[in-house]
Amino acid sequence: MGRKLLLEHINVPGINTLEVYRQKGGYAAVEKALKTLTPDEVVEEVKKSGLRGRGGAGFPTGMKWSFLAKPEGVPRYLVCNADESEPGTFKDRYLMTYIPHLLIEGMIAASYALGANTSYIYVRGEMMPQIRILERAIAEAKNAGLLGKNIFGTGYNLELYVQPGGGAYICGEETALLESLEGKRGNPRIKPPFPAIAGLYGCPTVVNNVESIAAVVPIINEGGDEYAKIGIGRSTGTKLISASGNLKKPGVYEIELGVPVEEFIYSDEYCGGIANGKRLKAVVAGGSSVPILPANLILKTINNEARLMSYESLSDGGFATGSMMGSGGFIAFDEDQCIVRNTWNFSRFYHHESCGQCSPCREGTGWMEKVLHRLEYGHGKMSDMDLLVDVSKKIEGNTICPLGDAAAWPVASAIRHFRDEFEWHVTNAAEATSRNYGLANYADPLPKVEKAEA
Amino acid sequence: MLRVEDTEQAPVEFSAALIAKFDDIKSRYPEGKQKSALLPILHETQAEFGWLSTPAMDKVAAYLDILPIEVYEVATFYTMYFMRPQGKYVLEVCRTGPCCLVGAEKIMDYIEQQLGVKEGEVTADGLFSWRGVECLAACGFGPVLQIGPEYTFYENLTTQSVDTLIADLKAKANN
């Protein structure tokens, strides 16, 4: 049984209330930080912990904090990125729903460390129930003197607000999020300057994911050095994994980094194996934007060792044979799933969510979606696979933000590992398109290929 | 997309209660940064009127002391804002990968059958419309749908639970 640092009390009745949360030791970490540590010492603890950004990029959180500019007389901001929109990822929604005070406590500790006196939690607009939960929890904390003026009598002041988004995946990108928080379209900004220099309202700003901020609480409780002992190598601590797809027990699991992928999929402690007695075909390990891997490559590394749930092991071998930890969105596909159809589905998502600012992304994502659509509907050509790889290469690395990469990698990796299946769609078009997915809704502009008479 | 005929829409009045909500939202931001209130204020406006008409957006612009185009460009960028009238209940079904792996497409098909209208259309009684939306961040509990303005989630959908949901909403509307 692995250690639980974030979800330890998740099943305690009433843990979403301040009273029960404090009974379980809640707000002790922030009291310790404010009363016994300087802001720089809190930053140092986070550095020592080795915590890496849990939103997907995996950049060391303490180092990110230390980049924050501190000009005199200019406010600094902490903004929590709760715009969870990556397909396959739902851990932040879970955490905010069931234990909102953990995030609020982390926000206070992190804001103190960064010298921010006003902080925002930017929540995707579709999560209106979670927004209400957070607003209630913030009101509770404020009434108890845990927010507002002179917190714990230390002279530290903090106002915390929740900001709803409007429904746009791109706002998970930190500069697009800041644009949106300023009341504009979520178009990513060109970097540099990075938000640490010029972020919200042009002021120094740190943007961190919900899970990263929540993790500050156990880091202060345990101490950075102790936290760093959990996990494996440079993948320290625990990680929330959102498990979905054809698994017996999908859901949110907290793992100690380093658990073997095979154990995560098949053990009863975690996902319990593949649903309906089927076999595993493929896995997207870190949210839809990371490369898909066939079963043999997700279970074993290039050196035929057990692949682990860690930043390094999941990416072992680069994109030819590896994937990424990403946001921890673990999607399992059973043997009956169609990789072409799924790749089209993800491609449609990225086309829909492209903000349209960069031509390679705006045009390329639509182009890929169209080609994948015609392959799925039985009108593909053998040259389509090379065309898709070519288009994906033209997008990758050629956009202001990483959405272009996120759109390109799933397509390129699906063709790399499942080219036979794409070719089968071309040579067996009628059979491929005769499967009943309940497709009537999809306004298919192309007629389906009729099954040939025997 | 804004349409020419939208300019023919009836004027709207913002109630004192709605303006009080706007004032509360505006107070969250530093002096001179009131445009930050735009997205939450548009949510409140849509919750009040069911959609964002041009006169409503113009009034929001006037309230925030920004140009109407600044409101239009935001309202049309984000998927949650409706640019034309919808049914009283808008069933938004997640159509992205993980939900489709566990049957979201069949649920969409079933909803279309049961409501008798295509995606984006409104039922004759004005009660329902439905649409497919991109990932709702509930992938482990799919298929899922949500209904605004509270954005209540319905998880692990089956055809039976869709029947119950529609019947419950009809009963609620008739009470």
Side-chain angles (χ1 to χ4, degrees):
Chain A
M1 201 66 177
R3 282 198 66 186
K4 303 277 184 284
L5 299 177
L6 303 178
L7 304 185
E8 184 184 2
H9 303 301
I10 200 81
N11 292 320
V12 174
I15 194 67
N16 60 331
T17 65
L18 181 64
E19 185 187 354
V20 177
Y21 182 72
R22 292 195 89 169
Q23 281 167 10
K24 290 292 171 188
Y27 288 97
V30 75
E31 185 171 6
K32 177 181 170 185
L34 266 61
K35 287 185 173 171
T36 68
L37 300 173
T38 66
D40 286 347
E41 284 170 339
V42 177
V43 175
E44 201 52 39
E45 288 303 314
V46 175
K47 271 188 181 171
K48 281 195 277 188
S49 75
L51 176 70
R52 294 164 69 167
R54 301 301 198 218
F59 190 80
T61 304
M63 194 183 293
K64 187 174 186 177
W65 287 11
S66 66
F67 292 155
L68 189 71
K70 296 176 179 174
E72 284 293 316
V74 177
R76 290 167 232 153
Y77 293 102
L78 171 66
V79 178
C80 174
N81 184 346
D83 189 66
E84 186 173 55
S85 321
E86 171 89 352
T89 311
F90 49 101
K91 64 188 177 68
D92 295 341
R93 176 176 180 257
Y94 185 84
L95 198 147
M96 290 187 287
T97 304
Y98 295 105
I99 190 160
H101 282 286
L102 183 66
L103 174 60
I104 294 168
E105 184 177 4
M107 285 296 291
I108 302 168
S111 299
Y112 170 71
L114 297 166
N117 297 113
T118 304
S119 296
Y120 297 95
I121 305 174
Y122 181 101
V123 187
R124 67 179 305 203
E126 289 93 336
M127 290 187 189
M128 215 53 91
Q130 285 67 33
I131 289 170
R132 303 290 176 239
I133 289 168
L134 285 173
E135 284 176 339
R136 272 199 301 274
I138 287 172
E140 275 188 306
K142 194 158 186 174
N143 288 337
L146 299 166
L147 282 168
K149 301 252 183 257
N150 196 23
I151 301 171
F152 289 118
T154 59
Y156 176 63
N157 307 326
L158 177 67
E159 294 298 334
L160 180 61
Y161 300 109
V162 179
Q163 174 84 354
Y169 168 77
I170 190 61
C171 292
E173 196 280 334
E174 62 178 0
T175 60
L177 184 152
L178 294 174
E179 286 286 293
S180 182
L181 183 45
E182 291 180 6
K184 295 179 261 181
R185 296 162 63 103
N187 287 346
R189 299 172 181 171
I190 293 171
K191 295 190 275 192
F194 289 88
I197 308 298
L200 185 64
Y201 310 129
C203 300
T205 302
V206 165
V207 183
N208 280 146
N209 174 254
V210 170
E211 188 186 347
S212 310
I213 291 172
V216 173
V217 175
I219 287 169
I220 292 171
N221 275 329
E222 305 268 326
D225 288 330
E226 288 302 308
Y227 185 91
K229 289 176 188 168
I230 303 166
I232 183 167
R234 289 177 52 236
S235 296
T236 63
T238 65
K239 173 90 188 79
L240 298 182
I241 303 293
S242 319
S244 67
N246 306 122
L247 293 163
K248 275 190 188 160
K249 296 193 298 172
V252 176
Y253 295 98
E254 182 172 10
I255 61 162
E256 285 188 30
L257 285 165
V259 170
V261 172
E262 189 163 2
E263 183 183 333
F264 182 71
I265 296 174
Y266 292 102
S267 80
D268 285 337
E269 185 182 351
Y270 301 113
C271 303
I274 307 304
N276 304 317
K278 302 283 183 184
R279 287 178 304 175
L280 179 68
K281 179 176 186 177
V283 164
V284 169
S288 68
S289 60
V290 309
I292 189 171
L293 290 183
N296 60 324
L297 286 180
I298 192 65
L299 297 176
K300 300 283 183 188
T301 68
I302 191 169
N303 296 320
N304 207 31
E305 293 164 347
R307 199 181 285 278
L308 310 178
M309 300 287 280
S310 74
Y311 290 89
E312 289 74 24
S313 185
L314 281 173
S315 60
D316 179 71
F319 285 176
T321 54
S323 185
M324 286 169 74
M325 169 63 77
S327 56
F330 194 94
I331 312 167
F333 299 76
D334 73 24
E335 58 193 310
D336 293 344
Q337 298 298 342
C338 172
I339 298 298
V340 177
R341 181 161 190 80
N342 185 70
T343 309
W344 165 53
N345 187 302
F346 282 167
S347 201
R348 181 185 61 195
F349 172 83
Y350 288 104
H351 178 210
H352 183 268
E353 299 299 331
S354 172
C355 79
Q357 190 175 200
C358 309
S359 302
C361 178
R362 183 185 61 245
E363 304 300 326
T365 53
W367 194 356
M368 287 200 299
E369 190 209 329
K370 280 180 192 163
V371 174
L372 284 160
H373 184 272
R374 76 177 178 225
L375 274 163
E376 170 60 17
Y377 280 83
H379 299 270
K381 301 177 236 174
M382 276 299 179
S383 59
D384 280 347
M385 280 65 87
D386 288 339
L387 175 62
L388 285 167
V389 171
D390 188 46
V391 175
S392 73
K393 281 182 182 163
K394 297 274 192 321
I395 302 171
E396 188 182 343
N398 290 316
T399 53
I400 289 173
C401 85
L403 191 139
D405 298 347
W409 292 339
V411 176
S413 61
I415 293 172
R416 182 184 303 124
H417 298 299
F418 295 95
R419 194 172 186 114
D420 289 355
E421 195 164 326
F422 283 83
E423 290 176 355
W424 184 85
H425 267 250
V426 178
T427 52
N428 298 274
E431 194 176 342
T433 59
S434 65
R435 293 168 298 179
N436 175 21
Y437 288 106
L439 297 173
N441 296 317
Y442 286 92
D444 177 17
L446 298 169
K448 285 183 191 173
V449 172
E450 296 299 326
K451 202 162 189 173
E453 291 293 323
Chain B
M1 181 75 73
L2 288 170
R3 296 171 304 164
V4 174
E5 62 265 38
D6 286 347
T7 56
E8 306 291 326
Q9 292 154 13
V12 295
E13 286 303 319
F14 288 171
S15 66
L18 191 60
I19 293 288
K21 281 183 188 172
F22 290 180
D23 291 343
D24 176 50
I25 290 167
K26 202 163 67 168
S27 72
R28 301 171 189 169
Y29 314 100
E31 191 67 34
K33 305 298 180 189
Q34 78 278 8
K35 193 178 171 186
S36 280
L38 180 52
L39 271 71
I41 280 180
L42 288 179
H43 281 301
E44 294 292 346
T45 309
Q46 179 161 290
E48 183 85 6
F49 299 100
W51 67 295
L52 296 176
S53 66
T54 311
M57 288 191 284
D58 290 348
K59 279 190 88 76
V60 167
Y63 173 81
L64 288 175
D65 195 21
I66 57 179
L67 296 171
I69 185 65
E70 294 179 82
V71 180
Y72 306 159
E73 65 181 7
V74 163
T76 54
F77 180 81
Y78 296 94
T79 56
M80 292 182 73
Y81 303 122
F82 299 133
M83 295 293 101
R84 49 183 57 92
Q86 304 289 312
K88 182 178 172 70
Y89 304 112
V90 184
L91 276 52
E92 299 186 314
V93 189
C94 179
R95 62 176 189 175
T96 311
C99 274
C100 286
L101 290 181
V102 290
E105 291 161 326
K106 287 179 180 165
I107 291 294
M108 291 170 74
D109 223 17
Y110 188 72
I111 288 173
E112 178 173 297
Q113 275 177 33
Q114 296 309 106
L115 295 183
V117 290
K118 294 210 169 293
E119 185 172 6
E121 295 175 351
V122 183
T123 54
D125 58 8
L127 273 188
F128 295 101
S129 45
W130 72 274
R131 64 175 186 162
V133 294
E134 296 299 349
C135 189
L136 292 181
C139 317
F141 318 108
V144 297
L145 68 76
Q146 66 179 6
I147 303 173
E150 294 85 8
Y151 293 94
T152 323
F153 264 73
Y154 296 85
E155 299 172 343
N156 300 308
L157 291 170
T158 62
T159 51
Q160 290 82 6
S161 63
V162 168
D163 285 341
T164 307
L165 168 66
I166 292 173
D168 287 350
L169 289 173
K170 281 182 180 171
K172 187 176 159 189
N174 290 329
N175 284 336

